[in-house]
């Protein structure tokens, strides 16, 4: 598979090295001459000097036969332009972009970028998994539906302990799909009451994730979202 990597920083370098090791044909585009020399010394003749957001550079790189474009520069705007030019002008089937600001993810998705990778979100997910009593972990995002599946572990002092699901004031476009309690799987109804330690699988839109977090992690007796009646 022919893969073009735009951006020769540490991420681009190590990504290119791994892809080459897996047997892929790789071209790395980097605008710094000195960095190009360093990469060539390490990886061989797999680097092209130039600005990857320029169509002429992508044409020289043979982008019209690339199967994947990966833009991993340190600038979100550059990564967006690179992916859009690759897809629209050169018909590259898959474009993947690194995003530095997680708030830009929706913009990339709306503009047709196939996949994004946010190191900030990845690190946050690991932190949340390491703090299970406060964890709301996004498990899966349905790319074209703007819906994600999140895993919530109800803390011991949650204000929702003993509350029936029908009483919850969930954010818009959110629902509780599944509850795991003591190893038992429960398909909940409105009469299902929550208990501390319940593992809850919920569907929501990414923009409502923070509201869901505030609802489930409000401490009993602490200021926060009002307890359902």
């Amino acid at each position: 598979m022919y893969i073009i990597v735009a951006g020769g920083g540490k991420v681009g370098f190590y990504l290119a090295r791994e892809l080459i090791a897996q047997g892929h044909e790789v071209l790395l585009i980097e605008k710094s001459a000195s960095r190009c020399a360093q990469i060539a010394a390490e990886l061989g003749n797999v680097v092209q000097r130039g600005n990857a957001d320029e169509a002429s550079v992508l044409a020289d790189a043979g982008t019209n036969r690339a199967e994947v474009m990966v833009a991993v520069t340190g600038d979100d705007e550059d990564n967006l332009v690179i992916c859009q030019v690759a897809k629209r002008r050169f018909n590259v089937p898959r474009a993947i972009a690194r995003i530095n600001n997680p708030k830009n993810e929706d913009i990339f998705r709306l503009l047709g970028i196939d996949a994004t990778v946010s190191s900030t979100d990845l690190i946050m997910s690991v932190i949340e998994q390491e703090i299970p009593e406060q964890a709301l972990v996004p498990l899966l995002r349905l790319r074209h539906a703007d819906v994600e599946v999140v895993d919530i572990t109800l803390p011991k002092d949650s204000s929702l302990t003993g509350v029936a699901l029908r009483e919850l004031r969930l954010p818009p476009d959110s629902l509780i799909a599944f509850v795991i309690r003591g190893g038992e799987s429960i398909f909940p109804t409105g009469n299902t009451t929550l208990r501390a330690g319940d593992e809850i699988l919920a569907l929501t839109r990414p923009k409502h994730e923070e509201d869901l977090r505030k609802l489930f992690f409000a401490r009993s007796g602490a200021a926060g979202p009002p307890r359902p009646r």
Side-chain angles (χ1 to χ4, degrees):
M1 181 183 295
Y2 181 36
I3 302 173
I4 296 177
V5 178
K10 290 183 179 179
V11 175
F13 172 80
Y14 289 115
L15 176 62
R17 190 177 70 174
E18 291 301 314
L19 291 170
I20 292 169
Q22 291 181 13
H24 297 289
E25 179 187 2
V26 176
L27 179 68
L28 197 158
I29 302 176
E30 164 60 37
K31 61 184 177 182
S32 165
S34 59
R35 183 60 181 160
C36 284
Q38 293 173 356
I39 294 170
E42 292 280 342
L43 301 181
N45 188 27
V46 297
V47 60
Q48 172 183 318
R49 184 186 175 192
N51 289 324
D53 56 355
E54 295 179 1
S56 60
V57 173
L58 294 182
D60 291 342
T63 303
N64 58 343
R65 67 178 185 87
E67 296 178 68
V68 181
M69 168 64 74
V70 188
V72 292
T73 77
D75 188 293
D76 287 0
E77 292 182 1
D78 286 349
N79 291 339
L80 177 60
V81 171
I82 293 165
C83 287
Q84 283 197 302
V85 173
K87 286 187 71 69
R88 295 185 177 183
R89 181 156 181 172
F90 297 97
N91 298 315
V92 176
R94 296 282 295 172
I96 301 169
R98 169 192 179 189
I99 55 173
N100 299 285
N101 184 349
K103 291 183 178 179
N104 288 336
E105 182 175 2
D106 287 343
I107 297 174
F108 277 60
R109 178 176 52 77
L110 290 172
L111 293 177
I113 308 307
D114 297 298
T116 58
V117 179
S118 164
S119 56
T120 303
D121 281 347
L122 291 175
I123 293 171
M124 282 301 299
S125 178
V126 172
I127 290 173
E128 288 170 334
Q129 291 182 58
E130 293 298 323
I131 312 174
E133 291 191 351
Q134 299 181 16
L136 186 154
V137 181
L139 299 177
L140 172 68
R141 176 167 294 189
L142 305 178
R143 186 187 312 157
H144 299 298
D146 192 31
V147 173
E148 66 179 9
V149 182
V150 300
D151 180 291
I152 302 164
T153 300
L154 199 66
K156 295 177 181 177
D157 55 353
S158 171
S159 63
L160 299 183
T161 299
V163 173
L165 293 187
R166 67 173 182 276
E167 299 178 87
L168 292 185
R169 299 172 183 171
L170 292 170
D173 300 327
S174 303
L175 62 85
I176 306 301
F178 202 66
V179 176
I180 300 174
R181 177 178 297 158
E184 179 185 359
S185 302
I186 301 172
F187 290 91
T189 68
N191 293 325
T192 302
T193 57
L194 295 173
R195 297 180 188 175
D198 279 353
E199 186 174 354
I200 301 160
L201 296 184
L203 300 176
T204 190
R205 297 198 184 279
K207 64 182 179 182
H208 297 314
E209 182 182 311
E210 186 57 31
D211 291 335
L212 206 60
R213 188 190 306 274
K214 290 177 180 176
L215 173 65
F216 279 94
F217 295 112
R219 302 297 187 187
S220 178
R227 181 187 175 103
R229 297 176 180 174

